[in-house]
Amino acid sequence: MVKNLYIILVLVGLGFMFYTFADGFESADKLNPVAERYAKQGPDEVGAANLVTAVVVTYRGLDTLGEVTILFLSAAIVAFFLKVTYGEEEKRQTRSVSEIMQTAARLLTPAVFLLGIYVFINGHLTPGGGFQGGAIIASGLVLMLLAKPNMKVSHTLIHVVESISGLAFVFIGVLGILYAGGFLDNSLMGMGTLGSLLSAGVIPLIYIFVGLKVGAELSNIVAHLQESQNEA
Amino acid sequence: MENIGLENIALFSGLILSLVGLWGLLTQKNIIKMIVGFALLDTGIHLIMIAVGYVKNSTAPIIGEGVTKANAADVIADPIPQALVLTAIVIGLGITALMLAYAVKMHQKKKSLDINHYKDLKW
């Protein structure tokens, strides 16, 4: 009883705080100085048409590296927790997947993978980028697993892709120290013209590796969650 | 309240979503439902951050139609909260996957998803 009262108090208090903040909310008329600098200098300094990408990959590139590391860590912990014991092959009983689902998955999976690749290759020009593209690729794997619940996912392939792209990301960053302005500086390669595919220095390259890495990590998590259903 | 813009709608739905998520987190007994509550709280906070970064009558921070290098600083929304939310979404996904893995493991151990059956850290 007292517990319920506390919960109500917390929710009402927080709701009141939120409400007073949101009620008179007026969005700003102009950008704050940091954002203004990014907007004015970004196109020339970084060369990416998508300014969010410029912030994510170049201005805050170290944050992105940390973020990829956190994702790797959570994928590794999931893999550690759901370690599969390949003992007696007792398949879990699943309802047979409907014809529509199987055909649609066969038709759509290549298109989903292609869309993911498109999204991360064009990350510096259009909305999207490595993380979103990687998530789309992993969702293609989810579709495949829904159509074939007992499919085996190759962990070796996932680990190879993940390790190579992670190493390449750091390697590009270190090359930036040696040959350009600093760690993850994108002026390592030519800037190109603003808005074309081969522009913004190494951003497309970094986003390709980020996309592959995120796709591999999320696929790894999904595959481990699927396999752990076979035990129990 | 004569001119309600898109940012106010996003802000209020974010607030409601995060309150619903917090309520779920505090009251539900089923671990899976608590994880759903966490995901709602997460999404609500993302919506609030995006809404706060909006600039009046602005457009997406991508140089293309209508946004040129010269006028970019006057017509775009703040790109920094958007970059932060991009990060936060991925981290939220990782945390949700981690919690689901814990839930699977807990269910394997005790065959129960009721939080009241787990007293190991209770004081």
Side-chain angles (χ1 to χ4, degrees), chain A residues 3-4 7 10-11 14-15 18-19 21-32 34-36 38-40 43-44 48-52 55-56 60 63-64 66-67 70-71 73-75 77-78 81-83 125-128 131-132 135 194 207 214 218 221 225 228-229 231-232, chain B residues 1 3 7-8 11-12 14-16 18-20 22-23 26-27 29 41 45 48 51-57 61-64 67-70 72-80 82-84 86-91 93-95 97-102 104-105 107-108 111 116:
Chain A
K3 208 181 133 205
N4 281 339
I7 290 173
V10 165
L11 287 177
L14 205 66
F18 277 166
Y19 183 75
F21 160 67
D23 189 30
F25 180 74
E26 290 259 338
S27 53
D29 278 327
K30 59 196 242 329
L31 293 175
N32 59 32
V34 182
E36 200 177 329
Y38 286 165
K40 285 203 171 125
D44 290 325
N50 184 348
L51 289 172
V52 178
V55 174
V56 168
R60 310 271 165 117
D63 283 3
T64 306
E67 183 189 354
I70 291 177
L71 202 60
L73 212 61
S74 67
I77 297 174
V78 169
F81 262 103
L82 302 179
K83 213 182 290 168
L125 305 175
T126 53
F131 294 100
Q132 296 89 325
L194 185 72
Y207 250 177
V214 171
L218 297 185
I221 292 177
L225 284 172
S228 73
Q229 290 178 316
E231 341 173 38
Chain B
M1 275 285 171
N3 46 354
E7 72 274 20
N8 295 90
L11 193 59
F12 269 99
L15 300 183
I16 292 167
S18 38
L19 280 183
V20 170
L22 193 65
W23 171 81
L26 289 175
T27 55
K29 300 277 177 263
L41 179 62
I45 292 172
I48 295 172
V52 169
Y54 183 74
V55 176
K56 252 180 213 154
N57 301 320
I62 296 172
I63 291 173
V67 185
T68 59
K69 258 202 290 194
D74 299 320
V75 294
I76 62 167
D78 195 342
I80 301 170
Q82 302 194 7
L84 288 178
L86 180 60
T87 312
I89 289 173
V90 178
I91 304 296
L93 187 88
I95 294 173
L98 208 54
M99 289 196 294
L100 283 172
Y102 285 145
V104 168
K105 208 67 197 170
H107 185 260
Q108 279 175 5
K111 299 277 173 244
N116 285 333

